[in-house]
Amino acid sequence: MCRTQGCYSLSNMRTNDEMARLQAAVSALGDVDVSAWPEDTLKDQLGELSAALVALDTLLTRVAEEVRGRGLRIEEPVSA
């Protein structure tokens, strides 16, 4: 028997895990402050940074297109 909010299917648990991982990625990216990197470090890491940014852009675009493809809108959260 399930409680009102305590019953989750395997699909819901997987979705919750995926959302937690997305939130962790957002948090990790929020900690990146490239403006604080020394110029030499930025130049040394530029190739790797560029590859990571392109990969992120590709993946974010794919997820957004999948959401839009289901007829839903992606909206910016309204700040309080």
Side-chain angles (χ1 to χ4, degrees):
M1 179 170 241
C2 297
R3 294 187 187 120
T4 305
Q5 295 180 355
C7 184
Y8 297 100
S9 68
L10 288 176
S11 178
N12 282 344
M13 287 195 290
R14 180 174 179 232
T15 302
N16 290 340
D17 181 53
E18 289 172 342
M19 288 304 300
R21 290 179 17 225
L22 282 171
Q23 290 299 327
V26 169
S27 179
L29 284 170
D31 292 341
V32 175
D33 182 7
V34 177
S35 67
W37 293 7
E39 192 72 20
D40 289 341
T41 301
L42 182 57
K43 287 178 182 177
D44 289 344
Q45 298 294 321
L46 190 55
E48 212 172 325
L49 178 61
S50 295
L53 292 172
V54 168
L56 283 169
D57 182 56
T58 300
L59 293 170
L60 289 171
T61 298
R62 178 187 57 82
V63 172
E65 287 175 353
E66 288 174 359
V67 170
R68 290 183 188 113
R70 300 204 38 197
L72 301 170
R73 289 180 42 137
I74 297 174
E75 298 178 8
E76 264 188 72
V78 177
S79 29

